Amino acid sequence: MHIVLDDTAMAAAGRGEVLVSRLLHRAHAEPGWYLYAPACALVEADRARPGTAEHLAALPGITVVDLDLPAAPAPARRNTWAAAHAQHAAQPTADRPDGAVIATADPDRRAGEPVRVLGLTP
């Protein structure tokens, strides 16, 4: 399972929310579970909850997704850099032909987007 954490999911992880903690554990302990943290979403999460970016980037099982040249135009298509980079990171790639699911603590924010969403609300 390939999962992209958006900024709301990352901030929820910083608060110790149970559903996000379970995802972090699975990515570390279970084969076939992969978590991705887009750099722009890390910045937004760290603004909402200082220290979140350093904490998440240090965890095993999380891959930080750089804002590389192919991702650079993505922010022009969205309201925030965090949302755009998460959506870009969830798109199919050679490593992830089916793309990834976006984990979010605010699933309504993703309504109408062409991505699969995993809501992290209890």
Side-chain angles (χ1 to χ4, degrees), residues 1-44:
M1 166 95 27
H2 296 274
I3 300 173
V4 174
L5 299 172
D6 78 355
D7 57 308
T8 65
M10 292 180 202
R15 292 190 303 271
E17 303 240 352
V18 174
L19 293 175
V20 184
S21 294
R22 287 181 184 163
L23 284 178
L24 295 170
H25 173 73
R26 283 188 178 210
H28 174 68
E30 294 184 28
W33 282 79
Y34 304 95
L35 289 183
Y36 303 93
C40 293
L42 272 174
V43 171
E44 280 303 311

Side-chain angles (χ1 to χ4, degrees), residues 43-110:
V43 171
E44 280 303 311
D46 204 67
R47 284 182 180 168
R49 186 169 180 84
T52 299
E54 292 164 345
H55 174 72
L56 287 174
L59 291 174
I62 293 187
T63 301
V64 176
V65 180
D66 295 331
L67 182 63
D68 57 6
L69 185 56
R77 296 186 290 269
R78 292 297 318 241
N79 294 350
T80 69
W81 285 48
H85 200 194
Q87 184 173 348
H88 178 79
Q91 299 305 309
T93 65
D95 295 338
R96 299 182 311 272
D98 294 329
V101 175
I102 296 180
T104 180
D106 185 7
D108 293 338
R109 181 166 105 170
R110 299 277 173 192

